[in-house]
Amino acid sequence: MIPVRFWRLSLPIGENRDHPLANPFGPGSPDLEQKQMDPMLVIVGGCELLRDRVHDYATRLKQMGKKVEYMEIEGQEHGFFTNQPYSESSHDFIGLVRGFMSQNSTDDQQV
C-alpha cells in the first residue's frame, strides 16, 4: 500500500487516487481503448512502491491491443538509474531504452 503522504505530494490539492494522473483507468480518465497510442516501454524497479500499479497499467494496455513492452529491473527502487547512474542496472536500463527506440523509430519521424 502506498503511504497517503505520497499521494498528497503527487496529486493536485483536493484530488484523490482516481485523478487521471494517478489512475489512467479511473472514472475521470479518457477512454484509452479508443485512443491511438505509439508503442511504449514501461520499466519499473522490482522494489518500486508502485510496481503492482505499473504492472497493472502495462497489462491493461496490452489487453486493449496497445503495443507495450514491460520490463522489471530486479532489486531496484524508483529512480535507480538517476540515483546510481554508473551501476550495472543503469547500464542495462539505458540499453533497454536504446533498443526500444531503435526498434520503434523510423527515419521519417520528427522529434
Side-chain angles (χ1 to χ4, degrees), residues 39-105:
M40 67 181 81
L41 175 62
V42 178
I43 300 176
V44 66
C47 298
E48 163 73 56
L49 285 174
L50 296 171
R51 185 183 63 81
D52 292 340
R53 288 178 73 94
V54 173
H55 183 264
D56 181 60
Y57 173 71
T59 300
R60 290 179 73 177
L61 288 174
K62 282 182 183 181
Q63 290 169 344
M64 292 177 187
K66 310 301 180 194
K67 184 177 179 186
V68 178
E69 288 185 41
Y70 174 83
M71 303 296 289
E72 189 171 308
I73 308 294
E74 199 172 318
Q76 297 302 317
E77 296 180 0
H78 184 80
F80 70 91
F81 52 91
T82 56
N83 296 332
Q84 302 166 15
Y86 302 107
S87 68
E88 184 177 340
S89 294
S90 293
H91 178 76
D92 293 345
F93 168 80
I94 295 298
L96 290 170
V97 173
R98 182 182 297 125
F100 179 82
M101 291 175 66
S102 293
Q103 291 174 355
N104 292 284
S105 297

